[in-house]
Amino acid sequence: METLRLIQLSAFVAAAEKGSVTEAARELGVHRSNVSRYIMDLEDWLSRPLTTDDVPLELTVYGRQFLPIAQQVIELLNDARASLPAAGQ
């Protein structure tokens, strides 16, 4: 099984919130094709389609169900990172 990466979750959440892969790419500072690849890899990992091919981007029923979970995972990881003491302490 492929390993889940944080960038895949971040790309999916950004694209879902912006309604655009292009806008998500701008926010993340990566190429549009990378955002598309990250989302496709996440869909492969989940074995579920999260988005449609429509413009503007639309979420499938699975995408709408998974979005708050992905947002929560990102928030938990950010909180965990922020709670750690600075390196060298």
Side-chain angles (χ1 to χ4, degrees), residues 3-55:
T3 302
L4 177 66
R5 296 171 48 213
L6 181 58
I7 189 64
Q8 295 164 332
L9 292 176
S10 298
F12 169 67
V13 168
E17 290 177 349
K18 301 281 185 194
S20 166
V21 170
T22 300
E23 290 301 316
R26 278 194 197 111
E27 180 177 303
L28 297 172
V30 299
H31 291 283
R32 183 187 190 289
S33 61
N34 290 348
V35 172
S36 295
R37 169 56 37 205
Y38 296 144
I39 293 172
M40 286 189 295
D41 290 346
L42 179 59
E43 290 173 325
D44 287 346
W45 188 80
L46 292 167
S47 299
R48 307 284 189 287
L50 299 175
T51 63
T52 67
D53 292 330
D54 298 334
V55 176

Side-chain angles (χ1 to χ4, degrees), residues 55-69:
V55 176
L57 180 102
E58 291 188 24
L59 301 182
T60 65
V61 64
Y62 302 113
R64 289 189 299 274
Q65 185 176 3
F66 188 69
L67 178 58
I69 296 166

